[in-house]
Amino acid sequence: MSGILDLGFARLDLGREQRQGLPEVVYGPGKTAEQIAEIARALLDGNTGPVLVTRIEPETAEAVLDRVAEALAASAGPASPAAAPNAVLGHYDAEARLLVWRPASSRDFRVAVVAAGTSDRPVAVEAAAVATAIGLDVTAVHDVGVAGLDRILQVRDRLRSQDAVIVVAGMEGALASVVGGLVRCPVIAVPTSTGYGAALEGVTALLAMLTSCAAGITVVNIDSGFGAAMAAHRLARVLEDRR
C-alpha cells in the first residue's frame, strides 16, 4: 500500500501528512526507546512537518534523543558529522511529557487552552504544548473553574478573541458549559480524571460535557490534551485550505 513504511514492529503511515497536514504522531507508552527512536527517525526522513512523541517519560525521552542524534550524525557522514543533529534538534517538554522535532512555524489560528483547576494543569499543558508544536497560536489560562465564577468572567474578552477554545476540566466538568455560553468560536472540551469518588475518574465530567446545554461543544476523550489539540488543528486546516 502506498505511503506505508514497514519497520517490522510498526507500520508507519507516511501519507498522513499529505492527507491531514501533519505527520503521524507517536504514542510513547508501551514502546521501547529503540522503537521510538527508529520510528522518529523514519518520520523525520519520510515527512517534512513536525515529529511528535506523546506521553513519554524523562529517562526514555533522553535515550530517544541520544539515539536519534547519533543516527542523524551517522547519516551526515564523516565530512560534517554534526550537521544533521544540529539541523534537526529534538526538544523534550517534561511537564507536557512531549518530544518534538522540527516544530511548525506559527500559523494564523488562535486557540486558548483554559484549565478549571491546578489539578487539571497536566492535561492542559499537554494540549498547549502539542498545539504550539504544530504551529497554532496558543494562549494558556489556568485555574478559572466555576467554583469562583468571577475568574472566568475576568478573561472572557480574551476568550472571545480566539478562533477556538480548549476547555480542560474534571469533577463535574461545568466549565465547558460556561465557556460554551460565553464565546461564539468552537469549544473543544477535555474531561479530566480529577475529582473524588463520584467523579469516576473522569466519567462524570465526560458525561456532563456530552450533555451540555451549550450547543455544539466538541468533546474528546478523558485526559486527552493531545486529542483536543488535534481537533483544533483540523479546524485550522480547513480554514487554511479555504484561504
Side-chain angles (χ1 to χ4, degrees):
M1 181 178 178
S2 177
I4 301 299
L5 177 62
D6 190 350
L7 298 179
F9 62 90
R11 294 168 61 83
L12 304 188
D13 180 8
L14 296 182
R16 192 172 306 183
E17 182 176 35
Q18 184 175 7
R19 295 196 313 274
Q20 298 181 2
L22 286 174
E24 180 177 0
V25 175
V26 185
Y27 178 67
K31 299 180 179 67
T32 66
E34 294 83 357
Q35 290 172 334
I36 296 172
E38 189 171 347
I39 292 170
R41 173 66 195 283
L43 291 171
L44 287 166
D45 286 346
N47 294 125
T48 61
V51 173
L52 279 62
V53 183
T54 65
R55 301 293 173 95
I56 185 167
E57 298 303 326
E59 285 188 8
T60 305
E62 183 178 358
V64 170
L65 285 170
D66 288 344
R67 288 176 180 274
V68 172
E70 289 170 3
L72 291 171
S75 68
S80 54
N86 286 338
V88 190
L89 288 174
H91 170 72
Y92 179 58
D93 184 329
E95 189 175 13
R97 293 185 294 167
L98 181 70
L99 258 178
V100 181
W101 290 267
R102 208 164 51 199
S105 300
S106 182
R107 300 154 65 185
D108 186 19
F109 190 89
R110 301 179 304 276
V111 57
V113 179
V114 180
T118 305
S119 295
D120 301 309
R121 181 181 175 90
V123 177
V125 167
E126 180 185 55
V130 171
T132 299
I134 62 178
L136 304 183
D137 182 0
V138 177
T139 297
V141 180
H142 291 283
D143 198 20
V144 288
V146 299
L149 196 56
D150 284 348
R151 296 179 296 186
I152 191 66
L153 296 178
Q154 287 173 352
V155 298
R156 59 184 167 184
D157 288 341
R158 290 169 61 188
L159 301 186
R160 286 171 173 169
S161 69
Q162 305 297 309
D163 297 308
V165 178
I166 294 171
V167 179
V168 182
M171 298 192 178
E172 85 286 19
L175 184 61
S177 292
V178 172
V179 173
L182 290 175
V183 302
R184 66 177 183 178
C185 66
V187 174
I188 303 162
V190 189
T192 72
S193 51
T194 303
Y196 297 104
L200 300 176
E201 298 184 343
V203 174
T204 296
L206 171 66
L207 296 178
M209 290 170 173
L210 287 171
T211 56
S212 171
C213 62
I217 290 176
T218 296
V219 184
V220 300
N221 206 348
I222 297 169
D223 291 337
S224 184
F226 164 74
M230 296 304 289
H233 160 72
R234 286 179 179 265
L235 293 170
R237 178 77 173 171
V238 170
L239 288 177
E240 289 164 354
D241 288 346
R242 287 184 177 177
R243 289 168 184 161

